[in-house]
Amino acid sequence: MELSPELHAWSEKLHAASLALSEAQHEVRVDKDARTPSLWARIVDYLFQTKAEKSEEQAATELANVQAQAQAFAGRWIVATAKASLAKDEPVYTRYLAQRGQVGTAIKRHIQIDKWRGLAQDAHSQLIGAADDCSSASTTEMIDLFSSNKAVSVISSISTSSAADSVRRATRALQALSEALPKRATSGSIAEPDDFLDLLVDLAIAPPLDIFSWINMGKLDDAADQCRKAAEKVEATLNKLNESSARAAAQREAEQQQLNQIAAPYILAAAKQVPSSFGVKAPTSLE
């Protein structure tokens, strides 16, 4: 089989580097044999790297470098050659392009769902944190009611202010999630069960949390309760998103496998043209 000029050039480089290493290894053996009669020479050989051993090390490094470069080139060559062959087979190429579109859609869907999942995780975490802060502030406030210590009063004030900040962050996180989630009118591309869409729509159109009124009235326990209820609602959505993300990942992988199967015969045909001395593995895809 006649090699392409580029593969032939790299094959020659590999042969030259391999030959140089073989020669260097031979010189090491000759050097060691020459040292056998002399105890001092053997001690020097044991304690220090000899000139022959250094040359062998350099030759091995050079071969490894050439091998890595040859493999990288061969990998690119296989892909380019396989693509060219595939493009000439019009019916298969048309199917390949259609399947590549399916892969792109699956990837976008997976990324989008994971983005919603990240927002839901943040909102849930912020709401739980806000609930805990409100409960803590309520406890401190109760202590302050039965204490004349000014330090306790200051701590209570700081705790209430911190709880309000936590609620603000939770509200922003919930609002970001609500705005990002699809409405039923725009969710046709999501391809999820109706109960999932109902849950998303329910959360998406829910009014913003009005927890500050409870804080302003000093009802921190009620504020904490409202945060926990909101967290439960977000958790239900998060669970759905986790399930949806797993399905989207599986679908993405399945679509990619189908694409790879279409390209596989062309990749293997190209890979067979690469000499075994390259030590290259055929790529699994053309992308």
Side-chain angles (χ1 to χ4, degrees), residues 77 81 85 264-274:
W77 185 89
T81 302
S85 298
Y266 302 89
I267 294 175
L268 293 177
K272 287 181 180 179
Q273 301 179 52
V274 179

Side-chain angles (χ1 to χ4, degrees), residues 123-144:
H124 183 262
S125 177
Q126 294 288 356
L127 286 164
I128 292 297
D132 291 343
D133 287 347
C134 287
S135 293
S136 178
S138 178
T139 300
T140 306
E141 184 181 58
M142 183 64 66
I143 295 172
D144 185 33

Side-chain angles (χ1 to χ4, degrees), residues 129-172:
D132 291 343
D133 287 347
C134 287
S135 293
S136 178
S138 178
T139 300
T140 306
E141 184 181 58
M142 183 64 66
I143 295 172
D144 185 33
L145 290 175
F146 296 95
S147 174
S148 59
N149 192 318
K150 291 184 178 180
V152 173
S153 180
V154 170
I155 293 173
S156 177
S157 178
I158 293 174
S159 183
T160 300
S161 177
S162 178
D165 288 340
S166 293
V167 170
R168 289 189 184 92
R169 289 193 296 270
T171 300
R172 287 194 295 269

Side-chain angles (χ1 to χ4, degrees), residues 37-262:
S38 170
L39 177 61
W40 175 248
R42 293 200 305 271
I43 292 174
V44 171
D45 184 26
Y46 179 76
L47 294 176
F48 303 100
Q49 185 183 45
T50 65
K51 182 179 179 180
E53 288 172 337
K54 186 174 182 180
S55 296
E56 180 190 27
E57 182 181 36
Q58 291 173 340
T61 300
E62 177 62 17
L63 176 58
N65 289 337
V66 173
Q67 184 97 43
Q69 293 176 54
Q71 288 176 345
F73 172 80
R76 295 192 298 271
W77 185 89
I78 290 171
V79 169
T81 302
K83 281 183 175 179
S85 298
L86 176 59
K88 293 177 183 178
D89 195 342
E90 188 173 345
V92 179
Y93 188 57
T94 299
R95 185 158 59 92
Y96 179 83
L97 292 179
Q99 184 58 35
R100 190 168 67 178
Q102 290 290 98
V103 171
T105 298
I107 290 173
K108 289 180 181 178
R109 181 171 175 274
H110 188 204
I111 291 174
Q112 180 62 75
I113 290 174
D114 272 1
K115 180 180 178 180
W116 295 335
R117 189 163 63 119
L119 290 171
Q121 288 172 336
D122 182 52
H124 183 262
S125 177
Q126 294 288 356
L127 286 164
I128 292 297
D132 291 343
D133 287 347
C134 287
S135 293
S136 178
S138 178
T139 300
T140 306
E141 184 181 58
M142 183 64 66
I143 295 172
D144 185 33
L145 290 175
F146 296 95
S147 174
S148 59
N149 192 318
K150 291 184 178 180
V152 173
S153 180
V154 170
I155 293 173
S156 177
S157 178
I158 293 174
S159 183
T160 300
S161 177
S162 178
D165 288 340
S166 293
V167 170
R168 289 189 184 92
R169 289 193 296 270
T171 300
R172 287 194 295 269
L174 184 61
Q175 189 64 33
L177 173 63
S178 177
E179 291 174 355
L181 290 175
K183 310 300 185 289
R184 180 173 292 278
T186 60
S187 59
S189 63
I190 305 304
E192 290 293 345
D194 287 341
D195 60 342
F196 175 78
L197 293 179
D198 288 341
L199 191 56
L200 296 189
V201 173
D202 185 35
L203 181 59
I205 64 175
L209 288 176
D210 186 20
I211 301 174
F212 289 110
S213 60
W214 298 105
I215 294 179
N216 293 335
M217 289 187 295
K219 296 184 177 181
L220 290 163
D221 283 334
D222 289 330
D225 184 57
Q226 290 297 310
C227 285
R228 290 193 181 92
K229 287 181 179 179
E232 289 175 1
K233 192 171 188 180
V234 172
E235 184 176 15
T237 296
L238 178 57
N239 290 338
K240 289 288 185 180
L241 287 170
N242 286 334
E243 295 170 3
S244 182
S245 178
R247 288 194 298 271
Q251 183 64 31
R252 175 177 176 173
E253 179 62 23
E255 298 290 359
Q256 184 64 55
Q257 287 297 327
Q258 288 188 39
L259 184 69
N260 293 348
Q261 287 173 8
I262 297 173

